[in-house]
Amino acid sequence: MSVNQQAHTGPPYGQPQPGYQGYQQPAYGGQPLPGVPQSQYGAYNGPMPGYQQPVPPQGSLRAPPTSGAPPPASGASLPSGHLTYSQFGHGDVQNGIPASAAPMQRPPASQPFLPGSAPTPVSQTSTFQQYGPTPASVQQLSNHMAGMTIGSTTAPAPPPAGLGYGPPTSVPPVSGSFSATGSGLYTPYTASQGPSPTSVSQGLPLAQPPFPGQPVSTQRLPTQVPGFAPSPSSTGIGPSSYPPSTGASRPPTMPGPPLPGQTVAGPSMSQPNHVSSPPPPSTMSGPHPGPPMSGLHGPPPPTHPPQPGYQMQQNGSFGQVRGPQPNYGGAYPGTPNYGSQPGPPPPPKRLDPDSIPSPIQVIEDDRSNRGSEPFVTGVRGQVPPLVTTNFLVKDQGNASPRYIRCTSYNIPCTSDMAKQSQVPLAAVIKPLATLPLEETLPYLVDHGESGPVRCNRCKAYMCPFMQFIEGGRRFQCCFCSCVTEVPPHYFQHLDHTGKRVDFYDRPELSLGSYEFLATVDYCKNNKFPSPPAFIFMIDVSYNAVKSGLVRLICEELKSLLDYLPREGNMKESAIRVGFVTYNKVLHFYNVKSSLAQPQMMVVSDVADMFVPLLDGFLVNVNESRTVIVSLLDQIPEMFADTRETETVFAPVIQAGLEALKAAECAGKLFIFHTSLPIAEAPGKLKNRDDKKLINTDKEKTLFQPQTSFYNNLAKDCVAQGCCVDLFLFPNQYLDVATLGVVTYQTGGSIYKYAYFQLETDQDRFLNDLRRDVQKEVGFDAVMRVRTSTGIRATDFFGAFYMSNTTDVEMAGLDCNKTITVEFKHDDKLSEDSGALLQCALLYTSCAGQRRLRIHNLSLNCCTQLADLYRNCETDTLINYLAKYAYRGVLSSPVKTVRDALINQCAQILACYRKNCASPSSAGQLILPECMKLLPVYLNCVLKSDVLQPGPEVTTDDRAYIRQLVTSMDVAETNVFFYPRLLPLTKADVDSDSLPAAIRNSEERLSKGDIYLLENGLNIFVWVGVNVQQGLIQNLFGVSSFSQISNALSTLPVLENPFSKKVRSIVDMLQVQRSRYMKLIIVKQEDKLEMLFKHFLVEDKSLSGGASYVDFLCHMHKEIRQLLS
């Protein structure tokens, strides 16, 4: 069947259908779905900047806007309240190709937006003076534009040529305009009066403007004036221009001094999102200007009167904001007067953070655009909503984005085009992802003894893209084109469209994701597997006992063993359990149900590990409950007086592996370990931590294992299906890079609790342990990714082992783990047939059932680079780039890895600039709409602890983070690299919603507020020094700022609305993340604040990382070098 097929003629899922023979779930749930989704085009998020286009291409132009009024051209003023500019990203750029040839890829979302006009590149260098951007309404327009009337408003008269002046009274201006290297200045996107402004070369005549309503989708950004060092904080102005610190609300950001008659904080320019009191003046580079003066003695502003009611642009969204959005702090207001003569050039200004792309704005826009409608997967190559958007998925033939996300949904037809763009083609696959309750789990299909129907040649599994021919007797493989006979039991007639008449009754023909029950041929040694086992292995050395850890683990296990994973309808779990304790020797326990007391057996010959008992080691929890409880009571007492400080490690894994071998089953080891294993034994390690290696060529050795012993051990574990989960409690260097090898290669998880203290860390540890024991896991798993002809999987990232080039092997794969796959061309692709991926995962369920889980995804292919850039997913791209870089540090110096990342991203953006964007001056930075956050996110990766550690980051921390990130999904890397920052004081205590997030920068924080920052591993609650006493009392139960304790690991439970709201927010965030986040209270100006500031990723970092503004300027320089 073809992928883009017309509306299905069969019944939709929600209607009664013939029952599924052999499926273990009820028929498809949900409301009746339309056969074809509303829109074929996956919108990409983000505000649509007003951006320039040369003379419009001939051919079809955008339909008139939904409001019925044609959009005004730039420069036309609009009646108040008329929001034209849509921040819903219509990414259909006619980038250099005729409009008629470019299929629209975005839904025509509600509001129209406006293109600007392109500045003609000029030979003048930056000799003109400028006092701020010329807003849209005062641009010097070409005669054509100046006389144009749109709607009933006329364009205002242009100012005298040659100079840009301060903003006119009618426009709440936005910060300064910058030329990156001189040729052609750029005005940031002021959200002036409705028209989205043009990108203007100040004082220069404009090129012929495009027609109104022509779709565009590129962003032009200002960059820094050359030759001036950017100052660390925003808008290079001195402290004198701050508003009074009495708590007055901030006026909007202004590029020039207020003009005569311009009220600074009046209602006409109300900024709904002021921060209640400004941050303290930070020291800024650049000249220290005098106090702002009331006016500018120079040519008068344009004559049209002020028009109230236009909102100022916020948050670096390029254009109008949806309406008052609370809590977004604006940048600092009011720049100073530079003297009354228009002659001398102004002092250098920095790029204003509010004029560059804001992650917060993009996330908000995507939520409001795409959060309300379900994402229906029936159409090929749709870009899904962002990971930060809550949306429902309706599977109609392609796998849900919860299972697979791609870096691009429209891939180049040729390898030359792919090389030219440098956009990596990769998929982040999470085969066992947890679905929300409203979505149906994959159906389990049982084809009996014959097993799933597959292609004879490439062995792809039956899926919706297979084409049935010859009346249904054969099918043609969509991956390799081979024709295969349909087995007699599977035969079905075709309808008049060539589809099988049982299309809707078979998940494998109508859905993107489903499961097959595997036959014995898919099992090891051709016999069905036994249910898996869990073995708990507890370090009982001096540190573990003294810290209270051993007692804590034993107490918790008593209740936790009732929550072992089980199949949906089973009364009890089929998983058996065993127990081992160890220090320099190992102790095995016989907990057979017939015993009155557990028996302990000691193995002191750790060099030649064996399991001293078979019967009674792995037992059913319910049968042996009394013996197990007795054992867990005795262990803390038995080792209470231990003096043994040394531990072994490798023999512990070997013991677990041998036990699983003897029981002929797969399983998981839960190892609780505290120190570097220095006792004489296989896998003994030495302390090799050396900070002096940082920034040298030998730094990579810190990430590599000390010995190959653990790699070989991992290989044996994978062969047996023995997955290792590691809980580490170090007080000093432990060598995570080596100890983590087995965990990493078996598909396990590492948890690390440095300087573990019972009172502060037990909640986090116990929550992690509970989740880890209860989560869904597939054992003894093998995954293979098949692709249609033209591309193939060439590289893999994640926690797994590979013994050949195609099979990803994992002793265990849980619902949080992802495998990232990179694809390369090995032939040409065609636009008609697109490209297909099929991920097949063979695994054993927790009940011992062998299953195949299949995910299918169809992508579009393109011959135009513009189509590639219009369908990329930046979050997935960053996930891939981070993993690529984090693997790179194993073999290359960190600086080389960082430079390679910057270079690749510069090439991606330069290729876009060269081939897709309309011509414009080199002084402008132009970003593709759906990659406009690439620079800010890339900078976060570059500044991360692995690639640029501060002095306080330990070698173990870096190795730990490196391993964590390698199997993170896209939502996790998104919040890990760009943390979520919420103003708690702005939370509505009566609603369930979270307060609107703000950007990760210190200048967005107010001394009078409390903020929460989360990154998936930690939650910080930052308390400003001027927070009202009542709030402190309500949240912390103490009467003043000085009494707040840093030692709190949970917020006190107090009976008041604010306390309840904040605790519910924390609980909501904890549930969303795969790990329990550590809560850290940070008081402003306290020593912990340095740690907190490390996560304000838009600012300069202490370890030398660039601020977002500086990095954007650096990227622009790199792009220009590539283009020249």
Side-chain angles (χ1 to χ4, degrees):
M1 61 175 258
S2 77
V3 183
N4 289 356
Q5 85 199 32
Q6 65 278 22
H8 297 324
T9 46
Y13 295 135
Q15 295 174 7
Q17 307 145 16
Y20 280 40
Q21 301 81 10
Y23 308 155
Q24 301 185 353
Q25 280 119 315
Y28 299 87
Q31 281 67 42
L33 301 177
V36 168
Q38 254 99 68
S39 152
Q40 296 211 38
Y41 313 115
Y44 194 84
N45 53 304
M48 188 39 248
Y51 108 97
Q52 308 68 353
Q53 194 66 345
V55 183
Q58 305 310 309
S60 61
L61 286 171
R62 195 187 225 22
T66 46
S67 66
S74 38
S77 50
L78 277 178
S80 90
H82 188 111
L83 289 175
T84 37
Y85 158 75
S86 149
Q87 60 240 49
F88 305 160
H90 302 275
D92 25 301
V93 199
Q94 314 294 323
N95 283 329
I97 49 174
S100 54
M104 295 208 313
Q105 298 282 359
R106 308 277 173 257
S110 45
Q111 311 167 12
F113 64 84
L114 308 164
S117 340
T120 34
V122 282
S123 55
Q124 271 165 285
T125 47
S126 45
T127 51
F128 25 80
Q129 312 82 356
Q130 144 245 359
Y131 291 89
T134 321
S137 45
V138 232
Q139 277 150 8
Q140 182 186 358
L141 304 171
S142 61
N143 296 339
H144 169 89
M145 197 61 158
M148 195 181 214
T149 58
I150 293 192
S152 58
T153 53
T154 53
L163 275 174
Y165 294 107
T169 46
S170 62
V171 183
V174 183
S175 50
S177 125
F178 303 86
S179 149
T181 53
S183 61
L185 281 188
Y186 159 71
T187 342
Y189 301 35
T190 53
S192 54
Q193 307 162 199
S196 70
T198 52
S199 160
V200 179
S201 301
Q202 237 134 300
L204 303 169
L206 293 171
Q208 169 96 7
F211 291 19
Q214 183 187 343
V216 289
S217 102
T218 309
Q219 288 221 336
R220 306 186 177 248
L221 300 179
T223 23
Q224 169 200 343
V225 182
F228 295 100
S231 64
S233 58
S234 85
T235 49
I237 53 174
S240 62
S241 57
Y242 285 74
S245 53
T246 52
S249 66
R250 295 186 174 180
T253 331
M254 312 196 99
L259 294 177
Q262 182 168 21
T263 45
V264 173
S268 67
M269 293 177 289
S270 67
Q271 179 170 350
N273 53 4
H274 59 271
V275 174
S276 50
S277 66
S282 51
T283 46
M284 304 198 174
S285 67
H288 190 96
M293 290 161 65
S294 61
L296 194 129
H297 319 284
T303 51
H304 57 283
Q307 301 191 3
Y310 291 105
Q311 259 193 301
M312 176 184 162
Q313 176 235 334
Q314 297 139 6
N315 275 354
S317 71
F318 297 74
Q320 219 88 21
V321 177
R322 257 192 316 286
Q325 296 196 13
N327 320 318
Y328 292 178
Y332 299 117
T335 37
N337 178 13
Y338 294 122
S340 53
Q341 298 307 315
K349 285 206 265 170
R350 282 183 78 260
L351 228 172
D352 168 51
D354 272 340
S355 69
I356 56 182
S358 157
I360 304 303
Q361 192 64 47
V362 169
I363 287 167
E364 284 295 320
D365 290 340
D366 194 71
R367 280 187 184 141
S368 58
N369 274 344
R370 306 197 62 189
S372 50
E373 290 295 307
F375 179 68
V376 182
T377 71
V379 180
R380 181 174 87 187
Q382 287 183 102
V383 180
L386 296 186
V387 284
T388 42
T389 298
N390 275 331
F391 59 99
L392 276 182
V393 179
K394 296 208 164 148
D395 184 341
Q396 289 193 0
N398 281 295
S400 159
R402 301 189 206 290
Y403 294 123
I404 307 182
R405 275 188 179 264
C406 294
T407 51
S408 179
Y409 287 81
N410 200 334
I411 63 180
C413 281
T414 64
S415 60
D416 289 348
M417 195 172 152
K419 282 195 189 89
Q420 187 185 357
S421 74
Q422 286 286 312
V423 175
L425 305 176
V428 180
I429 306 174
K430 195 175 182 184
L432 297 179
T434 311
L435 299 184
L437 295 170
E438 304 87 343
E439 293 176 20
T440 316
L441 293 170
Y443 290 92
L444 182 62
V445 180
D446 184 358
H447 282 318
E449 287 182 15
S450 58
V453 178
R454 302 175 69 176
C455 167
N456 271 345
R457 180 160 64 194
C458 72
K459 298 289 183 255
Y461 294 86
M462 180 53 65
C463 73
F465 312 122
M466 297 289 190
Q467 193 75 43
F468 286 88
I469 53 176
E470 297 178 24
R473 287 190 295 280
R474 298 170 148 213
F475 68 89
Q476 183 167 26
C477 178
C478 50
F479 295 95
C480 71
S481 304
C482 174
V483 174
T484 301
E485 295 283 335
V486 173
H489 73 87
Y490 197 69
F491 174 78
Q492 187 53 272
H493 295 286
L494 307 184
D495 66 13
H496 65 284
T497 65
K499 271 212 324 261
R500 285 173 56 123
V501 295
D502 62 353
F503 178 83
Y504 286 105
D505 306 334
R506 292 197 176 273
E508 74 273 22
L509 299 182
S510 53
L511 296 177
S513 301
Y514 42 87
E515 293 201 312
F516 290 119
L517 204 53
T519 59
V520 75
D521 306 336
Y522 291 86
C523 303
K524 259 188 201 157
N525 308 326
N526 277 359
K527 62 180 206 187
F528 284 113
S530 309
F534 283 1
I535 304 177
F536 297 91
M537 315 185 89
I538 306 166
D539 174 348
V540 288
S541 63
Y542 178 74
N543 276 345
V545 174
K546 188 186 63 155
S547 65
L549 180 63
V550 173
R551 188 174 296 277
L552 183 68
I553 293 168
C554 291
E555 280 304 312
E556 178 60 28
L557 287 179
K558 288 183 201 171
S559 54
L560 189 53
L561 293 176
D562 289 330
Y563 297 96
L564 299 176
R566 53 174 180 243
E567 291 293 342
N569 48 10
M570 289 172 60
K571 290 216 167 34
E572 63 174 57
S573 174
I575 293 173
R576 292 170 298 162
V577 298
F579 302 89
V580 171
T581 56
Y582 68 93
N583 39 45
K584 264 178 27 180
V585 297
L586 276 78
H587 323 105
F588 292 80
Y589 297 94
N590 183 345
V591 282
K592 200 172 172 182
S593 55
S594 55
L595 295 172
Q597 283 294 319
Q599 294 171 347
M600 172 167 153
M601 298 182 184
V602 180
V603 176
S604 51
D605 181 7
V606 288
D608 183 18
M609 205 58 230
F610 68 99
V611 178
L613 74 161
L614 290 180
D615 191 27
F617 179 63
L618 294 177
V619 296
N620 172 294
V621 173
N622 284 336
E623 288 170 12
S624 296
R625 182 176 302 276
T626 50
V627 194
I628 291 171
V629 170
S630 170
L631 170 67
L632 294 171
D633 282 336
Q634 288 174 39
I635 287 173
E637 306 310 325
M638 232 179 325
F639 299 99
D641 301 323
T642 185
R643 284 280 164 267
E644 185 54 75
T645 55
E646 291 187 358
T647 57
V648 295
F649 184 71
V652 182
I653 296 174
Q654 287 171 324
L657 172 61
E658 291 302 322
L660 294 177
K661 272 186 186 164
E664 295 184 354
C665 68
K668 186 180 267 199
L669 312 182
F670 295 83
I671 301 180
F672 304 91
H673 189 80
T674 60
S675 58
L676 191 69
I678 53 174
E680 266 320 312
K684 170 187 172 179
L685 301 179
K686 59 180 191 295
N687 188 336
R688 52 153 185 173
D689 191 18
D690 187 357
K691 277 281 173 80
K692 291 197 288 296
L693 297 183
I694 292 180
N695 294 327
T696 70
D697 284 354
K698 289 193 173 159
E699 184 173 2
K700 59 187 179 220
T701 59
L702 297 174
F703 295 110
Q704 298 164 354
Q706 276 188 45
T707 153
S708 61
F709 183 88
Y710 288 95
N711 295 73
N712 298 326
L713 182 53
K715 186 175 162 184
D716 296 341
C717 287
V718 172
Q720 181 54 42
C722 169
C723 177
V724 179
D725 279 4
L726 190 51
F727 292 81
L728 296 173
F729 306 88
N731 289 334
Q732 56 200 20
Y733 179 70
L734 189 75
D735 204 348
V736 173
T738 306
L739 297 188
V741 166
V742 179
T743 298
Y744 183 65
Q745 293 192 16
T746 57
S749 304
I750 298 191
Y751 299 85
K752 180 166 158 288
Y753 310 88
Y755 308 106
F756 178 82
Q757 288 181 307
L758 217 52
E759 52 282 2
T760 54
D761 296 312
Q762 76 168 17
D763 270 358
R764 181 164 61 111
F765 163 57
L766 293 179
N767 274 290
D768 281 341
L769 178 58
R770 286 166 196 155
R771 289 185 195 187
D772 197 53
V773 168
Q774 295 174 41
K775 69 189 173 191
E776 183 190 354
V777 185
F779 293 94
D780 218 347
V782 184
M783 185 183 102
R784 182 175 283 195
V785 178
R786 292 178 174 84
T787 52
S788 52
T789 312
I791 53 169
R792 61 195 170 87
T794 54
D795 209 349
F796 301 85
F797 304 83
F800 53 74
Y801 174 78
M802 289 186 83
S803 56
N804 59 31
T805 56
T806 53
D807 295 337
V808 176
E809 299 173 52
M810 294 154 289
L813 172 68
D814 65 54
C815 54
N816 299 320
K817 293 279 187 307
T818 64
I819 293 95
T820 301
V821 185
E822 186 180 8
F823 303 98
K824 289 260 166 52
H825 286 76
D826 55 9
D827 205 346
K828 278 202 169 87
L829 294 163
S830 94
E831 284 189 280
D832 298 337
S833 52
L836 301 175
L837 316 177
Q838 183 178 80
C839 160
L841 176 79
L842 175 64
Y843 71 99
T844 301
S845 75
C846 58
Q849 198 175 49
R850 201 72 175 146
R851 294 181 180 180
L852 283 151
R853 179 168 289 201
I854 313 295
H855 298 298
N856 303 287
L857 186 63
S858 59
L859 302 173
N860 286 330
C861 297
C862 57
T863 52
Q864 299 289 335
L865 282 164
D867 293 329
L868 163 70
Y869 282 101
R870 204 177 291 135
N871 291 279
C872 286
E873 230 263 298
T874 301
D875 293 322
T876 310
L877 192 56
I878 288 292
N879 179 285
Y880 164 84
L881 290 171
K883 290 171 180 176
Y884 185 77
Y886 281 18
R887 186 177 67 185
V889 299
L890 292 172
S891 52
S892 306
V894 172
K895 184 179 186 312
T896 311
V897 173
R898 291 164 47 80
D899 292 346
L901 267 185
I902 294 172
N903 185 43
Q904 182 169 7
C905 289
Q907 286 188 322
I908 290 172
L909 298 174
C911 173
Y912 176 80
R913 172 71 187 254
K914 185 177 171 187
N915 299 288
C916 307
S918 54
S920 64
S921 82
Q924 286 169 321
L925 171 59
I926 303 182
L927 300 173
E929 173 58 21
C930 53
M931 280 190 191
K932 65 185 178 194
L933 298 181
L934 187 60
V936 62
Y937 286 162
L938 177 70
N939 190 34
C940 297
V941 175
L942 293 170
K943 295 200 299 192
S944 62
D945 290 338
V946 173
L947 298 182
Q948 194 160 28
E952 72 297 336
V953 179
T954 66
T955 305
D956 275 344
D957 286 334
R958 296 176 74 197
Y960 175 61
I961 296 296
R962 197 189 76 76
Q963 292 201 14
L964 283 188
V965 168
T966 308
S967 45
M968 277 185 182
D969 71 10
V970 180
E972 287 171 320
T973 50
N974 173 275
V975 78
F976 180 75
F977 289 115
Y978 192 95
R980 177 149 57 162
L981 182 58
L982 305 174
L984 294 178
T985 17
K986 305 278 195 295
D988 178 358
V989 293
D990 299 320
S991 92
D992 290 339
S993 60
L994 292 172
I998 59 172
R999 292 172 67 171
N1000 283 186
S1001 173
E1002 190 176 357
E1003 70 180 33
R1004 310 273 165 181
L1005 305 180
S1006 146
K1007 288 182 175 183
D1009 288 322
I1010 300 174
Y1011 298 86
L1012 179 150
L1013 182 144
E1014 63 121 357
N1015 73 340
L1017 297 181
N1018 298 303
I1019 291 181
F1020 293 91
V1021 174
W1022 182 90
V1023 188
V1025 288
N1026 295 347
V1027 173
Q1028 294 168 358
Q1029 232 174 322
L1031 282 176
I1032 290 175
Q1033 183 71 52
N1034 283 344
L1035 189 57
F1036 299 103
V1038 295
S1039 56
S1040 72
F1041 178 81
S1042 58
Q1043 292 174 307
I1044 299 170
S1045 163
N1046 283 356
L1048 291 174
S1049 60
T1050 51
L1051 291 169
V1053 178
L1054 302 171
E1055 286 303 312
N1056 65 71
F1058 186 58
S1059 172
K1060 284 179 182 162
K1061 176 66 185 176
V1062 173
R1063 283 182 287 114
S1064 81
I1065 289 174
V1066 170
D1067 293 344
M1068 191 195 298
L1069 299 180
Q1070 293 285 22
V1071 169
Q1072 285 175 15
R1073 304 294 168 215
S1074 61
R1075 289 163 182 258
Y1076 194 84
M1077 295 180 280
K1078 179 178 187 172
L1079 183 77
I1080 301 168
I1081 308 292
V1082 178
K1083 291 153 73 173
Q1084 188 179 0
E1085 294 163 12
D1086 185 61
K1087 58 182 186 298
L1088 268 176
E1089 202 183 22
M1090 299 302 272
L1091 179 61
F1092 172 75
K1093 284 181 181 174
H1094 177 66
F1095 296 99
L1096 298 176
V1097 290
E1098 288 196 23
D1099 298 339
K1100 255 197 172 98
S1101 73
L1102 289 168
S1103 53
S1107 69
Y1108 174 20
V1109 168
D1110 296 350
F1111 184 70
L1112 199 59
C1113 298
H1114 177 69
M1115 279 303 282
H1116 189 191
K1117 202 172 81 192
E1118 294 281 323
I1119 291 166
R1120 295 191 55 186
Q1121 275 176 345
L1122 288 171
L1123 291 174
S1124 61

